Amino acid sequence: MRKFFQDIKADIKFKTAGPGQKLAEPPRERAPKEKPKAATPKSRQGPTDEAQMAAAAALARLEQKPKPWLPSSQDAIKSQVKKELLAEAAASESGLSTDHKSPVSAVEEETAGLSVSGVYFVCPLTGATVRKDQKEAHIKEAILLHSSRDPVAASIMEIHTFNRDRERVKLGVETIAKYLDNIHLHPEEEKYRKIKLQNKVFQERINCLEGTHEFFQAVGFEKETLPVPGQETTEEYYVLKEEVLTKLEDLKDYKEQLLSSEPVKAQLDRQICVFKPSPQAAQFELPHDFYNLTAEELKREQRLRTEAVEKASMLRTKAMREREEQREMRKYNYTLLRVRFPDGYILQGTFYAREPVSVLYRFVREALKDDWMPFELLAPGGLKLTEENLAFNECGLVPSALLTLAWDAAVMADIKASGEEQKGSPLKPELLSAVQILS
């Protein structure tokens, strides 16, 4: 058996020489000096019968292991979906060949030297944190995985999440609700329990939406091919199963769920972190995730902008410059903001470029030990951010900015006079326990 694995290792080394490297010769047995002929290599030995039997038994145990039934609570659903996704990811990663770079090391290499490794989101179904370019695939996988447990809920999530045209979704959902209403109000009418798939309304409003067929089948419809009255042809219908007529209230509940549901959206991960005092606090290196444009488009835009400034900087009016600045601001989807405290510590978070300033005030307040302490935030240049309803891109705080926190002077004077002056950093201990050095 040891000989078998040694041969495999030698064979891998022979086949995986890097670019420009000379392939190493496979191991050969040394021939006697008086006979310079190359020795015939020994045939490779396969696994022993005992090893094969052990592997087969392990595989059989895995295949026969029953899957646990999912509890009905929402927290349990999230937990189960998360476990299954993690298990699938682990299985997929273990199947990669040894000459592939791991995803973690690839990301670390790609983001080295950046102020933040990228834009991340938290999946509301699994609680997992995923990169921006992976969030849609992750949510879709989580919803499809949930369909085996609760097909009605999963199909409703599909309809609202997988279809981007909100007006079309609204029209399709209202049409489906009308079908269900007719059945609920007129259960004795057979015509309402049949939906012709080739019907123009069905084709234009429902068939074009992803998840609608899954919904009809989940609530109790099944496809049937029925003859056309007076003709020799047939057509496909969705026909409600007889047993569903005894549970019409369930049908009404499904309709309400369909009408009231919203798309499943991942939440932006703030990636909150705290840095020690640093003179490099105003220096930012951002990944491409923060931009609406691709890397190539960004380079082209920068080149064109430089040329335009050189040619027409003296000819532009103030209004023209402001319009150009607004166009620049719209190129960013996200912004990385840092808030420097009076003691030099720096609080950092990721935000949408169009979020209001009030969100930043709330973000800072939630990081304080004493959240009642009044403070002001000063933008670069010392301008107070008093208009909390303005968006970050309207305040010039994109794609990054270093702000300064200033305590309310009157309150600080009262605290000092009372002899209860705050000692240490005002930030929460759990944040300070993970403090980093800004490089």
Side-chain angles (χ1 to χ4, degrees), residues 32-49:
K33 293 182 179 180
E34 64 273 15
K35 295 182 181 180
K37 295 181 181 180
T40 304
K42 294 182 180 180
S43 60
R44 182 179 296 173
Q45 297 178 357
T48 64
D49 293 341

Side-chain angles (χ1 to χ4, degrees), residues 174-220:
E174 289 175 349
T175 304
I176 295 174
K178 185 64 175 177
Y179 285 141
L180 300 182
D181 261 342
N182 287 336
I183 296 172
H184 186 262
L185 296 174
H186 311 283
E188 71 285 351
E189 292 284 348
E190 184 180 355
K191 65 178 182 180
Y192 292 128
R193 303 199 299 268
K194 294 192 300 184
I195 303 172
K196 185 166 69 172
L197 271 61
Q198 293 306 313
N199 179 279
K200 183 179 179 181
V201 172
F202 186 90
Q203 287 293 316
E204 292 180 351
R205 299 184 182 182
I206 298 175
N207 190 59
C208 59
L209 296 177
E210 192 170 351
T212 51
H213 290 280
E214 289 78 2
F215 176 79
F216 278 109
Q217 294 169 15
V219 300

Side-chain angles (χ1 to χ4, degrees), residues 113-125:
L114 296 176
S115 301
V116 65
S117 61
V119 177
Y120 290 82
F121 289 82
V122 178
C123 174
L125 297 177

Side-chain angles (χ1 to χ4, degrees), residues 218 278 295 383 391 424:
S278 171
L383 181 66

Side-chain angles (χ1 to χ4, degrees), residues 38 41 76 104-105 129-130 234 308 312 315 331 340 392 412:
V104 174
S105 61
T129 301
V130 295
T234 59
L315 302 177
K331 291 179 182 177
R340 180 158 49 196
F392 295 127
M412 293 304 294

Side-chain angles (χ1 to χ4, degrees), residues 119-305:
V119 177
Y120 290 82
F121 289 82
V122 178
C123 174
L125 297 177
T126 65
T129 301
V130 295
R131 288 180 65 97
K132 183 182 77 171
D133 56 353
Q134 300 170 348
K135 67 172 181 175
E136 291 187 7
H138 181 90
I139 288 176
K140 188 166 188 173
E141 186 177 0
I143 291 174
L144 295 177
L145 191 65
H146 186 47
S147 63
S148 62
R149 308 297 183 181
D150 190 343
V152 175
S155 64
I156 291 174
M157 287 189 282
E158 287 182 45
I159 293 171
H160 285 278
T161 308
F162 297 171
N163 301 288
R164 295 186 178 276
D165 191 330
R166 302 312 305 159
E167 288 300 318
R168 181 168 286 188
V169 170
K170 182 175 182 293
L171 185 60
V173 164
E174 289 175 349
T175 304
I176 295 174
K178 185 64 175 177
Y179 285 141
L180 300 182
D181 261 342
N182 287 336
I183 296 172
H184 186 262
L185 296 174
H186 311 283
E188 71 285 351
E189 292 284 348
E190 184 180 355
K191 65 178 182 180
Y192 292 128
R193 303 199 299 268
K194 294 192 300 184
I195 303 172
K196 185 166 69 172
L197 271 61
Q198 293 306 313
N199 179 279
K200 183 179 179 181
V201 172
F202 186 90
Q203 287 293 316
E204 292 180 351
R205 299 184 182 182
I206 298 175
N207 190 59
C208 59
L209 296 177
E210 192 170 351
T212 51
H213 290 280
E214 289 78 2
F215 176 79
F216 278 109
Q217 294 169 15
V219 300
F221 285 87
E222 58 184 356
K223 281 186 179 180
E224 289 189 20
T225 302
L226 302 176
V228 178
Q231 300 181 26
E232 295 182 357
T233 59
T234 59
E235 289 183 327
E236 272 196 314
Y237 286 81
Y238 270 132
V239 180
L240 190 69
K241 298 175 183 177
E242 288 292 333
E243 58 265 27
V244 180
L245 293 176
T246 62
K247 298 179 288 185
L248 290 178
E249 288 304 315
D250 290 346
L251 213 59
K252 183 180 178 181
D253 290 341
Y254 298 150
K255 183 203 73 172
E256 296 300 330
Q257 292 177 35
L258 181 64
L259 289 172
S260 61
S261 292
E262 295 288 337
V264 178
K265 293 182 179 180
Q267 298 173 341
L268 179 65
D269 184 12
R270 299 292 184 203
Q271 299 184 75
I272 183 172
C273 54
V274 175
F275 298 105
K276 290 184 176 181
S278 171
Q280 299 177 335
Q283 299 178 12
F284 294 88
E285 289 292 336
L286 300 177
H288 298 309
D289 288 358
F290 277 70
Y291 303 90
N292 279 330
L293 306 178
T294 63
E296 293 74 17
E297 289 171 332
L298 278 173
K299 292 177 182 178
R300 181 173 60 83
E301 286 286 333
Q302 290 170 352
R303 186 181 69 254
L304 293 175
R305 185 167 62 250

